[in-house]
Amino acid sequence: MTFVSKLAMAAALTLGTSALGVSPALAQKKNEKAPEVKVSDEFRTPAAAAQAAVEAKNWAAAEPNIVAAEAVAKSDTEKYFAAVLRLQLETSRNNVNGQATALQILANNPTTPPQNAKVYQQRFYYLQGVAAANGKKNAEAIQFLTKAREAGSTADDISILLANAYGATGKNAEAVAEVEKAMAASKAAGRKPPVEWYRFAIPKVAALGDRTATAQWMTRYIQEYPTVQNWRWVIQVTRQGAPTANDKVEKLDLYRLMRSTNALADRGDYADYAYQAQTSGLPWEAVAAIEEGRKNGKIPAGDSDTGRIYTASQAAAKAEGSLDRQIATAKTGTQTANLADAFLASGNNAKALELYDQALQRGGAKADEVNLHRGIALQRLGRKDEARTAFQAVPATGPFGNLALLWATSIDFPPLGA
């Protein structure tokens, strides 16, 4: 970054004239006369001493002379030179506030070469934005950082600083847009966006109420960071949405996804999963969930709550009798789909798939829900490509679109590691 021509400053301070106002390269052009610029003797003496000290990196000697030059600077030219010296001093000692003071003068001084003014503005607004952000002055941070960008700043962290400021002021759409910019820049530079950026953006996308966009963000997150903990977090965020007409189905399918990705973490997960299956009229799955939780030690021996669910679910499954005998009684598409759900819950995925296909042929059943469950059955059977096709058949903007997208994402990552 070229702040001023050393030759130009030296000439002004020793001879009283300088090629100030044009770049060194332009000043060297043949037959081009540089404009004359003069400084007073009162200014020249401390400024020349300061310049010599700065060039020698003798910062202790530079400071008092810079202070003296600033005290007597009257013209725009003198204020410009003093600010250049001040900037070099404050940069040497990483004094951001001092740099900002000098940069503000340089950014607005009519003597500043036009090609340098933008550079000074970029740096000044950026430093002011960072200071405001650090001070939790989010409105000011947004103002300064936006001006820095408009001036042409390409500082790597402007987007993230703006995202934080927008997020803190409740502007979720703007915050998410800035994270998108940061991610695009990161990927263009060959870097994977940090996990924290996803964790910051996803709840804000969810708060906007766009379920499809939320699922898409979650999918990108899992594709970048496919771990059990991340799957669990994604599912927890999904469950935090407002209840819908299909809330019971969604909750159960999310527990199924947790089970499929090894994200059921503790006794609470298994107990809730079993309760959701039981209250959905699928006792076979409730029994299976509790048995799995007991086997892997997540459900303690003698746990009374899960014990009651287990006993009640066993009795309900026994009362249902043979599911195979009920096939002949399923006449409509809806009845067939319900029976397919029972087979899916009992673990007979092949029979469930057969009945889901029949339900689609007969019509009347919710096609998007049937295709979602077809995909689950196919995935459990190891038929990945067919499962992916089934999930893709679920409308993205429909009530089960986000679930289908998450399930489709899980096809490539089972079982996930810690």
Side-chain angles (χ1 to χ4, degrees):
M1 184 181 297
T2 301
F3 292 114
V4 69
S5 164
K6 290 183 179 179
L7 180 63
M9 179 173 279
L13 298 182
T14 56
L15 304 176
T17 62
S18 170
L20 187 66
V22 296
S23 69
L26 291 175
Q28 292 170 7
K29 286 185 177 179
K30 249 185 175 184
N31 303 321
E32 184 174 301
K33 186 177 180 182
E36 290 191 355
V37 179
K38 294 185 178 181
V39 297
S40 67
D41 291 337
E42 182 184 26
F43 174 82
R44 183 182 296 110
T45 299
Q51 172 69 3
V54 166
E55 290 183 351
K57 300 189 185 306
N58 185 350
W59 306 113
E63 182 164 24
N65 285 296
I66 292 173
V67 171
E70 290 171 332
V72 298
K74 295 183 177 63
S75 69
D76 288 332
T77 300
E78 291 172 349
K79 292 176 181 177
Y80 170 77
F81 279 145
V84 169
L85 292 166
R86 170 63 64 184
L87 179 60
Q88 294 178 81
L89 171 65
E90 303 301 352
T91 299
S92 74
R93 54 192 184 187
N94 294 318
N95 182 356
V96 173
N97 290 332
Q99 292 175 44
T101 299
L103 286 165
Q104 186 172 23
I105 296 170
L106 294 169
N108 298 287
N109 193 306
T111 308
T112 301
Q115 70 272 18
N116 286 355
K118 280 289 185 185
V119 177
Y120 293 132
Q121 289 170 10
Q122 291 169 19
R123 185 66 179 163
F124 169 70
Y125 289 133
Y126 171 76
L127 289 178
Q128 292 295 91
V130 171
N134 290 338
K136 307 298 182 184
K137 299 177 181 178
N138 296 298
E140 290 183 23
I142 292 170
Q143 178 185 4
F144 283 121
L145 292 169
T146 299
K147 286 184 177 180
R149 179 181 281 165
E150 290 171 351
S153 176
T154 57
D156 288 343
D157 58 348
I158 279 186
S159 288
I160 291 302
L161 288 168
L162 278 169
N164 282 318
Y166 279 128
T169 53
K171 297 180 178 179
N172 289 328
E174 292 86 346
V176 172
E178 291 297 338
V179 177
E180 285 277 26
K181 289 178 183 177
M183 286 184 167
S186 181
K187 290 183 177 180
R191 300 188 300 269
K192 185 163 71 170
V195 65
E196 292 79 13
W197 293 4
Y198 285 101
R199 294 247 178 168
F200 172 87
I202 288 173
K204 290 173 173 51
V205 179
L208 293 171
D210 189 336
R211 290 164 61 86
T212 300
T214 302
Q216 290 170 343
W217 267 87
M218 290 175 175
T219 297
R220 289 163 54 188
Y221 177 38
I222 293 300
Q223 288 172 339
E224 291 276 8
Y225 296 96
T227 69
V228 168
Q229 289 86 350
N230 291 341
W231 262 117
R232 179 175 171 76
W233 183 82
V234 160
I235 291 169
Q236 287 174 331
V237 171
T238 303
R239 285 201 307 232
Q240 290 169 4
T244 68
N246 303 291
D247 200 49
K248 183 172 287 189
V249 176
E250 289 184 14
K251 285 183 177 179
L252 182 56
D253 284 335
L254 285 171
Y255 277 118
R256 287 169 171 167
L257 182 58
M258 292 179 77
R259 185 182 184 187
S260 175
T261 55
N262 294 333
L264 292 167
D266 51 32
R267 178 260 178 208
D269 281 347
Y270 279 98
D272 289 346
Y273 178 16
Y275 177 77
Q276 199 64 46
Q278 181 194 42
T279 56
S280 297
L282 302 171
W284 310 272
E285 195 160 2
V287 169
I290 291 173
E291 288 180 345
E292 180 178 302
R294 288 173 174 174
K295 183 177 180 180
N296 61 26
K298 299 295 176 63
I299 296 178
D303 185 80
S304 58
D305 289 337
T306 54
R308 283 192 292 270
I309 295 174
Y310 185 75
T311 300
S313 296
Q314 279 190 317
K318 185 177 181 180
E320 282 286 344
S322 171
L323 292 177
D324 289 317
R325 291 180 181 177
Q326 298 181 34
I327 294 176
T329 64
K331 303 295 184 183
T332 68
T334 299
Q335 291 172 342
T336 305
N338 289 338
L339 185 56
D341 285 341
F343 275 105
L344 186 72
S346 71
N348 191 339
N349 299 297
K351 181 57 71 174
L353 178 61
E354 179 184 330
L355 291 171
Y356 284 133
D357 289 340
Q358 289 180 21
L360 290 175
Q361 292 169 4
R362 291 175 178 174
K366 295 179 180 179
D368 49 358
E369 183 178 341
V370 170
N371 276 312
L372 174 64
H373 292 163
R374 280 188 76 251
I376 294 173
L378 284 162
Q379 184 172 347
R380 289 177 176 177
L381 291 167
R383 294 158 64 174
K384 293 184 178 181
D385 291 339
E386 293 173 85
R388 191 174 286 106
T389 300
F391 291 134
Q392 290 171 349
V394 179
T397 56
F400 298 102
N402 57 339
L403 279 175
L405 186 57
L406 291 177
W407 271 97
T409 301
S410 74
I411 290 174
D412 296 320
F413 301 111
L416 297 176

